[in-house]
Amino acid sequence: MNKRIGALLAAGLLFFAAGCGHKDTAKAPADGTAGENIALHASAVAETSEGQTQEDQTFSMDGAVTGEASETESVGENIGGTAGTPVDPAYPHTLKKVDLDVDSEGWCVLNADGSIYMANNEFAPFAPASITKVLTALVTVEWVGMDDVVTVTESEVRDNIQIMSSGVSPSLKPGEKFTVRDLLNALLLSSTNAAGNVLADYVAGSNDAFAGMMNRKCEELGLTHSQFLNPHGLDTPGHYTCAYDMAVILKAACENEEVRKIMGSVSYKIPATEYSEERVAYMGHAIVNGTRAVNGVYAGKSGNTHNAGATLVTAVSREGKDLYVCTMHSDDKQSYEDTENLIEYAYASMKGEPYQGKVICHDIRIKSVDEKGMTFSFSIGNPAVSARMVYWDMAKGTDSAKFLDLPAPEAHMEKYIEFPHPGAYSVQVFATGVRGEEYGKTEAVFFTGKPLEPGMMQYNGCMYVIDDNGMLATGTAETADGIYSIYSDGSVGHGFVGGRFYAGADGRIVTGWIEVNGEKFYCQADGRLATGRMIIDGTLYTFNENGALQK
């Protein structure tokens, strides 16, 4: 039987079973250590006692969690939010306190033999974002050939794609032909979400059927704390995993030569097609691509969505010892800081050497507001010798910066800043570590003399987006009403954004046909302006390099 045909049949049976049957129960540890926050695992899997099982649960076809498992029912609430109690940890802990401040809410460091070296909330459920694609790639290479040629369809680049989601440029277009190798590089390097849809359809016939194959692969790997519902990782209710499961998936992916090679690449040239010029896919993982330097890192994948926060999986090898690291639900920059600290701590501890983690600043929040200024709270993790706060009027730039020195920093601090007048301000917290390294955390705020409610705010003829912590959104802002583009002064912008997107009069990034100054443009499902030749609703159109429709 053709392997791909076999995959389609198997996927259909598996997805039907997943929707109608019960998952196998897993055993909780007998020693009562499930609730411990931080553990150093000195050995591989230990014995568990009989009878301590999680209640059966079922998963409906639309991804909702059903059944009687009370812990599991909280999964939907915890996805991308606060870390929940670890769900049914299958492995007892040999406890040893890890003297390291890690901001990521869930993390796991896995040994080459599959045992956990150290972890925190490793079984807690979180949305995985684009680290999902590691499993997508692993399933794909096990069922189809790398040189198979695949044709992109309109639905694959339109359905289930989020505005301003990551990917190669130009976006994948209907009618284009790519090899599986091309699509996997786009998937793992540039995190192209549409590539996940294309591969899922080719391998299994649909996203749903492919998700069944993904979950079957988890079962083969012995993983019981994940449910994958799509191949790309965009936020979907019921799509979740945990740090332990992702570390195991990363390990399995690195044991596959084709996937490991791609996850260790810095860039890949995707050949020109009938509809687009040559594209280059660039690795987004900052340690793998060399933006950040950590000795021994050879493969990885990053992810980031509104619900998931920043997620990161990283493979490292030093002195013949391999480790697989996953951090979940963090800030983008801090996920890298956490990963580096975990790697350095692990290898130092293996040698019996002390390691003081690099300093980090996190959790900047507005505590109170009065008519003259604001009180901020923040945390400084790992040893610091000094710290300072810096703030400036975003309309005037850094020339207006003012400094507040904090010569004796504590782990948790509160400081008051007085602002000269209402407006948008950038606030930074800097900390200097014992090695002399400096770490900075930046937030933006809008000062009006009173607390602000989350959502859209109009002030002096401009619109602003306020997040749940009272902070001012910058760059782009995802809200329940849409995705907004933000100017450098903090206000919501409109018009062409970066030459690739278009924001309407209300600031929201748009999709579909638009007309600007007498010219027509087409904004694709991910918001990018169409360029070159493109099939839209079955009709072939041609656009110039700026996105304008050619007559």
XYZ file of all heavy atoms in Angstrom, residues 121-196:
564
model
N 6.338 23.005 36.868
C 5.037 22.985 36.189
C 5.116 22.275 34.849
O 4.487 22.678 33.873
C 4.519 24.413 35.987
C 3.927 24.999 37.241
O 3.523 24.276 38.154
N 3.878 26.318 37.304
N 5.907 21.207 34.805
C 6.178 20.555 33.522
C 4.975 19.845 32.927
O 4.968 19.534 31.728
C 7.341 19.569 33.659
C 7.079 18.367 34.558
C 7.434 18.620 36.010
O 7.228 19.751 36.504
O 7.916 17.679 36.660
N 3.946 19.564 33.744
C 2.746 18.912 33.232
C 1.550 19.862 33.169
O 0.438 19.444 32.847
C 2.399 17.690 34.089
C 3.457 16.624 34.047
C 4.310 16.449 35.127
C 3.612 15.822 32.947
C 5.295 15.480 35.100
C 4.596 14.846 32.908
C 5.443 14.673 33.987
N 1.752 21.127 33.488
C 0.665 22.099 33.421
C 0.317 22.395 31.962
O 1.206 22.499 31.120
C 1.060 23.391 34.138
N -0.972 22.537 31.636
C -1.372 22.749 30.242
C -1.206 24.198 29.797
O -1.618 25.124 30.487
C -2.854 22.357 30.244
C -3.313 22.683 31.639
C -2.138 22.433 32.543
N -0.591 24.373 28.630
C -0.438 25.699 28.036
C -0.668 25.604 26.530
O -0.421 24.566 25.914
C 0.972 26.263 28.269
C 1.295 26.553 29.698
C 2.103 25.694 30.423
C 0.792 27.687 30.327
C 2.406 25.951 31.747
C 1.089 27.953 31.648
C 1.902 27.080 32.366
N -1.107 26.702 25.933
C -1.136 26.788 24.472
C 0.308 26.795 23.969
O 1.140 27.530 24.502
C -1.861 28.052 24.032
N 0.638 25.985 22.962
C 2.039 25.868 22.531
C 2.487 26.870 21.490
O 3.701 27.035 21.275
C 2.086 24.454 21.950
C 0.703 24.214 21.437
C -0.225 24.950 22.369
N 1.564 27.538 20.801
C 1.933 28.409 19.676
C 2.717 27.589 18.646
O 2.450 26.407 18.458
C 2.705 29.630 20.152
N 3.731 28.190 18.014
C 4.359 27.569 16.842
C 5.323 26.431 17.146
O 5.810 25.788 16.209
C 5.083 28.640 16.012
O 4.156 29.407 15.292
N 5.612 26.141 18.417
C 6.407 24.936 18.668
C 5.591 23.693 18.320
O 6.148 22.597 18.206
C 6.956 24.880 20.106
C 5.845 24.921 21.152
C 7.953 26.011 20.330
C 6.337 24.773 22.585
N 4.285 23.860 18.114
C 3.447 22.801 17.535
C 4.069 22.247 16.269
O 3.985 21.050 15.972
C 2.052 23.376 17.209
O 1.397 23.761 18.416
C 1.188 22.370 16.457
N 4.709 23.110 15.489
C 5.210 22.745 14.167
C 6.321 21.694 14.219
O 6.595 21.036 13.212
C 5.691 23.999 13.441
C 4.567 24.987 13.159
C 5.075 26.270 12.519
C 3.904 27.149 12.079
N 3.744 28.345 12.852
N 6.955 21.538 15.378
C 7.958 20.477 15.513
C 7.294 19.113 15.348
O 7.792 18.229 14.642
C 8.683 20.575 16.869
C 9.679 19.427 17.029
C 9.385 21.915 17.010
N 6.143 18.930 15.986
C 5.393 17.680 15.845
C 4.844 17.543 14.433
O 4.848 16.438 13.866
C 4.258 17.638 16.869
C 3.383 16.374 16.860
C 4.226 15.121 17.061
C 2.287 16.475 17.920
N 4.374 18.634 13.844
C 3.890 18.601 12.458
C 4.964 18.081 11.519
O 4.715 17.223 10.661
C 3.442 20.006 12.021
O 2.364 20.432 12.846
C 3.011 20.021 10.563
N 6.182 18.597 11.678
C 7.292 18.171 10.821
C 7.626 16.707 11.041
O 7.868 15.948 10.088
C 8.517 19.044 11.092
N 7.639 16.275 12.298
C 7.985 14.885 12.610
C 6.974 13.919 11.987
O 7.363 12.907 11.385
C 8.037 14.708 14.132
C 8.417 13.317 14.650
C 9.790 12.911 14.139
C 8.371 13.297 16.170
N 5.683 14.221 12.115
C 4.659 13.359 11.515
C 4.791 13.359 9.997
O 4.703 12.307 9.346
C 3.251 13.823 11.943
C 2.176 13.064 11.172
C 3.060 13.619 13.446
N 5.032 14.521 9.419
C 5.123 14.631 7.960
C 6.231 13.759 7.393
O 6.008 12.997 6.439
C 5.350 16.102 7.556
O 4.221 16.877 7.953
C 5.541 16.220 6.051
N 7.435 13.857 7.950
C 8.568 13.116 7.368
C 8.423 11.616 7.557
O 9.062 10.843 6.824
C 9.912 13.597 7.958
C 10.143 15.063 7.651
C 9.994 13.346 9.462
N 7.591 11.201 8.490
C 7.388 9.762 8.687
C 6.410 9.166 7.685
O 6.324 7.938 7.568
C 6.902 9.498 10.117
C 7.986 9.751 11.177
C 7.504 9.456 12.589
O 6.280 9.265 12.769
O 8.348 9.423 13.504
N 5.697 10.034 6.941
C 4.661 9.517 6.050
C 4.851 9.876 4.578
O 4.283 9.195 3.710
C 3.283 9.991 6.513
C 2.810 9.264 7.733
C 2.911 9.665 9.022
C 2.195 7.983 7.769
N 2.391 8.723 9.872
C 1.936 7.673 9.125
C 1.829 7.052 6.792
C 1.346 6.479 9.521
C 1.214 5.869 7.198
C 0.987 5.587 8.547
N 5.574 10.936 4.264
C 5.734 11.326 2.857
C 7.199 11.617 2.556
O 8.006 11.821 3.469
C 4.868 12.558 2.501
C 3.389 12.265 2.714
C 5.294 13.776 3.314
N 7.536 11.673 1.275
C 8.906 11.912 0.859
C 9.252 13.388 0.823
O 8.408 14.227 0.508
N 10.500 13.702 1.108
C 10.946 15.085 1.128
C 10.872 15.749 -0.241
O 10.720 16.964 -0.346
C 12.380 15.169 1.666
C 12.534 14.717 3.106
S 11.714 15.841 4.262
C 12.851 17.229 4.239
N 10.989 14.959 -1.309
C 10.972 15.517 -2.660
C 9.609 15.436 -3.335
O 9.475 15.796 -4.509
C 12.028 14.808 -3.521
C 13.440 15.066 -3.018
O 13.734 16.217 -2.644
O 14.247 14.107 -2.990
N 8.592 14.989 -2.604
C 7.230 15.014 -3.146
C 6.848 16.453 -3.492
O 7.190 17.392 -2.766
C 6.230 14.477 -2.122
C 6.340 12.975 -1.917
O 7.289 12.379 -2.452
O 5.481 12.410 -1.207
N 6.123 16.636 -4.602
C 5.699 17.972 -5.032
C 4.232 18.182 -4.630
O 3.371 17.343 -4.907
C 5.873 18.152 -6.544
C 5.351 19.521 -6.982
C 7.349 17.998 -6.919
N 3.955 19.321 -3.990
C 2.628 19.613 -3.452
C 2.121 20.926 -4.053
O 2.866 21.909 -4.141
C 2.670 19.743 -1.917
C 1.271 19.899 -1.354
C 3.373 18.546 -1.296
N 0.861 20.967 -4.450
C 0.245 22.173 -4.992
C -0.623 22.834 -3.933
O -1.461 22.183 -3.306
C -0.612 21.853 -6.230
O 0.202 21.241 -7.224
C -1.217 23.130 -6.804
N -0.451 24.129 -3.750
C -1.182 24.889 -2.740
C -2.592 25.197 -3.236
O -2.780 25.552 -4.408
C -0.445 26.210 -2.423
C -1.231 27.053 -1.410
C 0.952 25.917 -1.896
N -3.581 25.072 -2.375
C -4.961 25.406 -2.728
C -5.374 26.715 -2.052
O -4.734 27.166 -1.101
C -5.935 24.297 -2.290
O -6.003 24.267 -0.850
C -5.484 22.936 -2.804
N -6.463 27.302 -2.528
C -6.935 28.569 -1.958
C -7.346 28.422 -0.503
O -7.066 29.288 0.328
C -8.108 29.112 -2.787
C -7.704 29.653 -4.141
C -8.792 30.504 -4.779
O -9.054 31.610 -4.266
O -9.372 30.056 -5.780
N -8.015 27.332 -0.162
C -8.478 27.170 1.219
C -7.307 27.055 2.195
O -7.393 27.506 3.342
C -9.375 25.935 1.336
O -8.662 24.757 1.022
N -6.191 26.473 1.754
C -5.047 26.270 2.643
C -4.367 27.568 3.041
O -3.774 27.660 4.117
C -4.033 25.323 1.981
C -4.531 23.899 1.865
C -3.727 23.066 0.880
O -2.912 23.646 0.125
O -3.917 21.841 0.853
N -4.440 28.574 2.182
C -3.815 29.859 2.514
C -4.828 30.877 3.022
O -4.468 32.005 3.354
C -3.068 30.445 1.294
C -1.935 29.535 0.871
C -4.020 30.692 0.131
N -6.101 30.459 3.121
C -7.145 31.361 3.586
C -7.711 30.950 4.938
O -7.875 31.773 5.834
C -8.275 31.428 2.547
C -9.409 32.378 2.915
C -10.560 32.275 1.939
N -11.207 30.965 1.987
C -11.312 30.136 0.947
N -10.825 30.492 -0.227
N -11.911 28.968 1.075
N -7.984 29.665 5.098
C -8.681 29.193 6.300
C -7.726 29.060 7.481
O -6.604 28.575 7.344
C -9.345 27.839 6.035
C -10.411 27.913 4.961
O -10.842 29.042 4.636
O -10.793 26.857 4.429
N -8.197 29.473 8.642
C -7.462 29.300 9.900
C -6.095 29.981 9.894
O -5.169 29.533 10.573
C -7.270 27.804 10.212
C -8.580 27.050 10.224
O -9.534 27.488 10.858
N -8.642 25.940 9.508
N -5.968 31.077 9.158
C -4.721 31.847 9.161
C -4.992 33.178 9.840
O -5.970 33.860 9.546
C -4.191 32.084 7.724
C -3.882 30.734 7.060
C -2.968 32.974 7.746
C -2.822 29.920 7.744
N -4.132 33.557 10.748
C -4.323 34.765 11.541
C -3.644 35.967 10.900
O -2.575 35.853 10.304
C -3.740 34.539 12.941
C -3.929 35.707 13.893
C -3.391 35.369 15.266
O -3.396 34.228 15.695
N -2.932 36.380 15.965
N -4.272 37.140 11.027
C -3.684 38.369 10.513
C -2.328 38.607 11.168
O -2.153 38.438 12.369
C -4.614 39.560 10.775
C -5.918 39.407 9.987
C -3.937 40.871 10.407
C -6.921 40.494 10.259
N -1.362 39.014 10.362
C -0.004 39.334 10.795
C 0.699 38.147 11.431
O 1.633 38.293 12.215
C 0.012 40.540 11.743
C -0.484 41.812 11.098
S -0.115 43.317 12.005
C 1.580 43.599 11.501
N 0.249 36.928 11.111
C 0.973 35.756 11.584
C 2.252 35.611 10.772
O 2.375 36.114 9.666
C 0.105 34.504 11.456
O -0.282 34.274 10.116
N 3.216 34.927 11.356
C 4.561 34.879 10.777
C 4.583 34.081 9.485
O 3.691 33.307 9.183
C 5.524 34.260 11.783
O 5.071 32.985 12.166
N 5.651 34.226 8.714
C 5.799 33.440 7.505
C 6.723 34.074 6.497
O 7.200 35.186 6.666
N 7.003 33.329 5.437
C 7.859 33.828 4.373
C 7.133 34.921 3.606
O 5.912 35.033 3.642
C 8.260 32.697 3.400
C 9.198 31.718 4.067
C 7.040 31.991 2.858
N 7.894 35.714 2.905
C 7.324 36.762 2.062
C 7.888 36.601 0.654
O 9.103 36.465 0.485
C 7.686 38.145 2.606
O 7.110 39.165 1.837
N 7.032 36.608 -0.392
C 5.581 36.708 -0.343
C 4.933 35.506 0.340
O 5.530 34.444 0.447
C 5.183 36.760 -1.825
C 6.421 37.108 -2.566
C 7.529 36.533 -1.777
N 3.690 35.696 0.807
C 2.936 34.591 1.381
C 2.746 33.487 0.340
O 2.793 33.734 -0.865
C 1.567 35.087 1.840
O 1.675 36.185 2.713
N 2.527 32.260 0.816
C 2.225 31.171 -0.113
C 0.954 31.497 -0.877
O 0.007 32.069 -0.330
C 2.042 29.860 0.657
C 3.206 29.396 1.533
C 2.948 27.986 2.040
C 4.532 29.477 0.820
N 0.921 31.129 -2.164
C -0.202 31.490 -3.030
C -0.864 30.260 -3.617
O -0.198 29.243 -3.875
C 0.280 32.390 -4.172
C 0.911 33.697 -3.714
C 1.420 34.491 -4.904
C 2.084 35.788 -4.485
N 2.579 36.552 -5.652
N -2.170 30.329 -3.866
C -2.866 29.217 -4.529
C -2.232 28.908 -5.881
O -1.857 29.824 -6.627
C -4.290 29.748 -4.707
C -4.438 30.808 -3.668
C -3.089 31.428 -3.532
N -2.094 27.619 -6.181
C -1.529 27.194 -7.456
C -0.031 26.983 -7.431
O 0.514 26.333 -8.338
N 0.665 27.507 -6.443
C 2.118 27.323 -6.362
C 2.454 25.878 -6.033
O 1.738 25.212 -5.278
C 2.737 28.253 -5.322
C 2.722 29.713 -5.714
C 3.592 30.562 -4.805
O 3.308 30.612 -3.594
O 4.559 31.163 -5.301
N 3.572 25.405 -6.589
C 4.037 24.051 -6.331
C 5.344 24.110 -5.534
O 6.255 24.853 -5.884
C 4.261 23.290 -7.649
C 3.000 23.115 -8.488
C 3.289 22.296 -9.732
C 2.115 22.258 -10.688
N 0.866 21.824 -10.085
N 5.402 23.321 -4.472
C 6.590 23.244 -3.622
C 6.891 21.784 -3.311
O 5.979 20.945 -3.288
C 6.364 23.972 -2.289
C 6.033 25.431 -2.412
C 4.722 25.861 -2.350
C 7.033 26.377 -2.585
C 4.407 27.206 -2.449
C 6.726 27.721 -2.694
C 5.412 28.147 -2.625
N 8.145 21.499 -3.032
C 8.467 20.183 -2.500
C 8.130 20.167 -1.006
O 8.025 21.224 -0.366
C 9.952 19.837 -2.683
O 10.750 20.743 -1.902
C 10.363 19.907 -4.148
N 7.988 18.984 -0.460
C 7.775 18.857 0.978
C 8.943 19.483 1.731
O 8.758 20.135 2.766
C 7.602 17.373 1.367
C 7.678 17.177 2.879
C 6.278 16.837 0.822
N 10.146 19.338 1.203
C 11.328 19.953 1.836
C 11.190 21.476 1.893
O 11.487 22.096 2.921
C 12.600 19.566 1.082
C 13.880 20.187 1.646
C 15.125 19.731 0.917
N 15.465 18.358 1.286
C 15.212 17.287 0.553
N 14.587 17.427 -0.627
N 15.556 16.093 0.948
N 10.738 22.086 0.795
C 10.524 23.536 0.784
C 9.528 23.940 1.872
O 9.747 24.895 2.626
C 9.970 23.991 -0.571
C 10.953 23.807 -1.720
O 12.172 23.763 -1.462
O 10.484 23.705 -2.866
N 8.424 23.212 1.945
C 7.371 23.557 2.893
C 7.821 23.353 4.336
O 7.479 24.155 5.221
C 6.121 22.724 2.608
C 5.397 23.045 1.293
C 4.358 21.979 0.968
C 4.746 24.425 1.349
N 8.608 22.319 4.594
C 9.100 22.085 5.955
C 10.069 23.174 6.389
O 10.078 23.582 7.555
C 9.769 20.709 6.044
C 8.812 19.515 6.070
C 9.595 18.213 5.952
C 7.966 19.516 7.336
N 10.890 23.657 5.463
C 11.777 24.766 5.802
C 10.988 26.040 6.075
O 11.296 26.786 7.004
C 12.800 24.985 4.687
C 14.019 24.086 4.816
O 14.967 24.395 5.532
N 13.981 22.955 4.122
N 9.958 26.298 5.260
C 9.100 27.457 5.516
C 8.403 27.307 6.862
O 8.249 28.274 7.620
C 8.079 27.613 4.394
N 7.996 26.091 7.180
C 7.274 25.804 8.418
C 8.160 26.013 9.651
O 7.764 26.681 10.614
C 6.763 24.368 8.389
C 5.960 23.892 9.597
C 4.517 24.364 9.475
C 6.006 22.361 9.706
N 9.368 25.445 9.642
C 10.212 25.425 10.835
C 11.129 26.633 10.957
O 11.482 27.025 12.076
C 11.059 24.142 10.858
C 10.273 22.844 11.064
C 11.205 21.645 10.920
C 9.575 22.828 12.412
N 11.521 27.232 9.838
C 12.409 28.396 9.913
C 11.595 29.677 10.038
O 11.707 30.405 11.028
C 13.319 28.451 8.689
C 14.272 27.272 8.474
C 15.226 27.565 7.324
C 15.051 26.955 9.733
N 10.767 29.975 9.041
C 9.982 31.206 9.048
C 8.632 31.046 9.737
O 7.860 31.998 9.824
C 9.750 31.696 7.612
O 10.967 32.048 7.006
N 8.343 29.856 10.222
C 7.098 29.586 10.950
C 5.863 29.923 10.121
O 4.896 30.494 10.619
C 7.081 30.358 12.284
O 6.300 29.703 13.245
N 5.888 29.544 8.851
C 4.796 29.843 7.932
C 3.583 28.977 8.245
O 3.595 27.761 8.027
C 5.258 29.620 6.477
O 6.413 30.411 6.240
C 4.162 29.989 5.495
N 2.524 29.597 8.749
C 1.351 28.842 9.182
C 0.651 28.137 8.028
O 0.164 27.020 8.171
C 0.385 29.767 9.911
C 0.972 30.297 11.203
O 1.488 29.546 12.014
N 0.901 31.605 11.397
N 0.582 28.802 6.881
C -0.078 28.183 5.733
C 0.637 26.907 5.307
O 0.002 25.970 4.809
C -0.133 29.167 4.565
N 1.954 26.840 5.506
C 2.704 25.628 5.164
C 2.208 24.447 5.995
O 2.178 23.301 5.518
C 4.200 25.839 5.379
N 1.804 24.709 7.227
C 1.239 23.649 8.045
C -0.057 23.126 7.468
O -0.294 21.910 7.415
